[in-house]
Amino acid sequence: MGVAALATAGQAGAVTLNDIISRGKVRIGVLTGAPPMGMVDEKGNPTGYDVDVANLLGSYLSLPVELVPLTPPARIPALQTGKVDFLVATLAPTGERAKTVMFTQPYSAFNMDIISGPGATFTKLADLQGKRVAVNRGSSQETALRKAAVPGLQIVVFEDDSTSAQAVIAGQADAVALPSTVGEAIIKQRPDAQLHVGFTFFQQGNSMATKLDDFELRQWLNTSIYLMKISGDLDRIATKWTGRPMPVLPTF
């Protein structure tokens, strides 16, 4: 089977704007386990940056939004199988992922940081030699650390960012690679753990995602992201959840 066939195997059919409007609601996949980008509140409801962006998209369509909370490994499968119409789920565009989904222009961005507990100071990648670093499975930080090929680095994989951070708190890892927004939230939530940022090793832009053949929907989302930028809505949402306006977003 060729690459194209592998990429589309198991994919549900394209979803048009007319399909969504005719259904009477839009189903949007959002992230959980990565505060403040995506999480659940005390009542078990999805909340966070991605949820606010998803609800804003629903208002653009004048439709109710069905939020589908997803763990990081479940994001792309949920899209491919038609469980959601598209993703607003803090998903970094990568060459490998682009074989299976289409990405919009980024709608958020953050630094990727190495964070450790008390008694450990890491200021550069070379300091991670022989150390255990926790990451969430299939994430851009996992990919970046594997490509860095630091001698003796042990990459310990967990299902989401919160669990990865807990591994450091519990002594199962020496450090964790986390988005700056997530790391700042966890440091604030757990002052007793004495977590601190060592260094930033790259900036990650995050895109919405559609199925490979959903060109119309992808174009509508790109237009919506543009409107969110010029209206100031993305700055407002970013300030609400991160305490600062949206950084300059990468484009492609």
Side-chain angles (χ1 to χ4, degrees):
M1 185 179 291
V3 172
L6 284 170
T8 56
Q11 293 247 12
V15 177
T16 68
L17 286 175
N18 280 338
D19 292 335
I20 294 171
I21 292 168
S22 296
R23 186 197 304 134
K25 67 177 178 180
V26 57
R27 302 170 302 180
I28 305 177
V30 294
L31 185 63
T32 60
M37 307 306 288
M39 51 198 164
V40 293
D41 63 20
E42 63 278 1
K43 296 180 180 179
N45 298 315
T47 188
Y49 183 105
D50 287 342
V51 170
D52 282 4
V53 172
N55 284 327
L56 184 56
L57 290 169
S59 73
Y60 285 4
L61 286 168
S62 299
L63 289 175
V65 175
E66 179 184 329
L67 296 169
V68 181
L70 301 167
T71 61
R75 291 174 293 185
I76 289 177
L79 178 62
Q80 292 176 313
T81 57
K83 185 176 180 179
V84 299
D85 298 318
F86 55 88
L87 297 173
V88 182
T90 313
L91 189 65
T94 67
E96 190 63 27
R97 287 170 174 168
K99 296 175 184 177
T100 57
V101 300
M102 285 200 301
F103 289 104
T104 66
Q105 294 294 325
Y107 70 99
S108 71
F110 44 62
N111 291 331
M112 195 64 67
D113 293 337
I114 294 295
I115 296 173
S116 58
T121 301
F122 304 120
T123 61
K124 57 186 182 300
L125 283 171
D127 293 341
L128 300 178
Q129 292 187 31
K131 303 300 182 182
R132 300 164 298 167
V133 178
V135 298
N136 94 49
R137 186 183 309 278
S139 62
S140 57
Q141 57 263 43
E142 179 185 1
T143 300
L145 285 175
R146 293 193 187 282
K147 286 184 177 179
V150 177
L153 171 63
Q154 301 174 53
I155 296 174
V156 189
V157 179
F158 295 89
E159 291 304 308
D160 57 42
D161 289 327
S162 295
T163 310
S164 299
Q166 183 58 40
V168 176
I169 295 171
Q172 297 173 312
D174 301 298
V176 57
L178 288 176
S180 57
T181 50
V182 176
E184 288 165 4
I186 292 173
I187 288 171
K188 184 177 180 180
Q189 291 168 0
R190 291 295 307 271
D192 58 300
Q194 301 180 55
L195 299 176
H196 59 275
V197 178
F199 64 96
T200 295
F201 63 109
F202 71 94
Q203 185 191 57
Q204 175 178 308
N206 303 296
S207 295
M208 301 175 193
T210 70
K211 299 184 191 73
L212 280 175
D213 49 359
D214 281 358
F215 292 97
E216 179 196 54
L217 187 53
R218 177 180 178 272
Q219 180 58 36
W220 181 83
L221 290 170
N222 273 331
T223 302
S224 298
I225 292 167
Y226 166 77
L227 294 173
M228 290 177 183
K229 288 179 181 178
I230 64 170
S231 68
D233 282 330
L234 278 184
D235 273 340
R236 175 182 56 79
I237 293 170
T239 301
K240 172 183 175 181
W241 291 105
T242 71
R244 63 181 70 91
M246 177 59 56
V248 176
L249 297 176
T251 60
F252 56 83

